[in-house]
Amino acid sequence: MHILWDNAFFLVFTGFIVGTVGTLIGAGGGFIIVPFLIIIHPALPTEILTAISIAVVACNAISGSVAYARSKTIDYRAGRWFAAFTIPGSIAGVYSTAYIPKIVFHVVFGLLVIGLAALLFFQKKAIASSDSSPLLPESRKNTHTLMDATGTVFTYEYRPYLGAFISLIVGYLSPILGIGGGIIHVPALVKWLGFPIRIATATSHFILAVMATVSVIVHVVNGNYNGPHIMYWVVTLSTGVVAGAQLGAFLSHRVQGQWLIRILSVCLLLVGLRVLLSGV
């Protein structure tokens, strides 16, 4: 193993940063873990790369969900519904990873992340609000009121069947790309489903905890954690992620929603460019 990149303290610190940023924006952190692993271990097969990432994402999502549960910002009713549709998608996605060439993986991942960064950057005002386009009739909406631990009341409407369809797609793409899906789910929950940004980040983390755990179980069954050093990377990165997730959830209540969007878009752009360049 490389002396610097695979140093335990370095990996724990990296996990801590991933956990903090990922939980702060509700994205799980896989969009950082994947390019990090690509850079330090470019020879890793796609299925191993995504297996490591999704395991770290699962630890991050579970830890972050515990913190968000204390703040009472998780919409459990919507979260359970959407999570149910991510499960079949995530199982299919895990089995698809072994058939995707590495160069295709890098290019698709890079373009997807850059596209999401552009969407967030150029439409950040719309996404930061609770407005959404009338993609389905008003009668197909659910209305929900939620009060967080500080006494702030959120009232919003969302389209459960549109959310279910989005969750199915996110569930499939997440294990393929190893990103957890939060970077897709958070913009979708806010822009297309009308969730307030703070409820969206917390609920996305809850959905991600369910989806990523299912993906990890499938990877275990497939034996993708049996190779040399794989569990070492999972354990060291996850140790830092669990602690970082608590800090990220803490900071999420002290950072304005507009800044959360800006942080997410900048992170996505830098990561997307780096991964795209490594594949071409």
Side-chain angles (χ1 to χ4, degrees):
M1 293 186 293
H2 194 286
I3 295 176
L4 174 60
W5 298 132
D6 288 322
N7 178 274
F9 292 104
F10 176 77
L11 291 174
V12 170
F13 177 74
T14 300
F16 182 81
I17 299 299
V18 169
T20 301
V21 175
T23 304
L24 177 63
I25 59 180
F31 69 97
I32 305 174
I33 290 291
V34 170
F36 172 75
L37 291 173
I38 288 174
I39 293 168
I40 68 173
H41 291 291
L44 281 176
T46 300
E47 64 269 23
I48 302 302
L49 179 74
T50 55
I52 296 171
S53 177
I54 208 69
V56 176
V57 166
C59 292
N60 184 17
I62 293 170
S63 178
S65 294
V66 171
Y68 281 128
R70 290 197 297 266
S71 68
K72 298 182 179 179
T73 49
I74 299 175
D75 184 337
Y76 289 104
R77 184 174 65 179
R80 288 192 299 266
W81 171 256
F82 296 153
F85 285 88
T86 65
I87 292 174
S90 64
I91 293 173
V94 170
Y95 283 104
S96 299
T97 56
Y99 303 99
I100 300 176
K102 184 171 292 187
I103 186 171
V104 174
F105 175 80
H106 286 200
V107 172
V108 171
F109 182 85
L111 291 175
L112 174 64
V113 172
I114 291 172
L116 286 170
L119 175 66
L120 290 176
F121 183 81
F122 291 111
Q123 299 187 26
K124 56 182 179 292
K125 289 184 179 180
I127 294 176
S129 71
S130 296
D131 297 331
S132 59
S133 303
L135 299 180
L136 287 178
E138 295 294 321
S139 61
R140 301 285 292 277
K141 287 184 177 182
N142 283 355
T143 302
H144 194 197
T145 298
L146 187 151
M147 184 172 67
D148 68 12
T150 66
T152 303
V153 177
F154 301 90
T155 299
Y156 51 96
E157 296 179 324
Y158 66 92
R159 301 168 178 84
Y161 294 104
L162 174 61
F165 175 74
I166 292 172
S167 297
L168 181 66
I169 301 301
V170 169
Y172 180 73
L173 292 177
S174 296
I176 290 178
L177 300 176
I179 58 174
I183 60 172
I184 305 173
H185 242 149
V186 172
L189 287 173
V190 179
K191 174 61 178 175
W192 296 323
L193 298 179
F195 279 66
I197 182 65
R198 299 194 187 283
I199 305 302
T201 54
T203 304
S204 171
H205 240 60
F206 172 74
I207 298 168
L208 183 56
V210 176
M211 179 179 60
T213 300
V214 171
S215 297
V216 169
I217 292 172
V218 178
H219 275 297
V220 170
V221 172
N222 289 345
N224 291 334
Y225 295 110
N226 296 335
H229 312 311
I230 293 177
M231 289 308 301
Y232 170 78
W233 293 323
V234 170
V235 171
T236 51
L237 288 168
S238 297
T239 300
V241 154
V242 169
Q246 299 299 307
L247 177 60
F250 174 80
L251 293 175
S252 70
H253 303 290
R254 290 157 178 80
V255 179
Q256 293 183 355
Q258 187 63 45
W259 279 104
L260 293 178
I261 298 298
R262 289 173 177 171
I263 294 171
L264 176 56
S265 62
V266 171
C267 288
L268 289 176
L269 178 62
L270 295 176
V271 168
L273 287 173
R274 180 65 183 86
V275 174
L276 181 61
L277 291 175
S278 69
V280 297

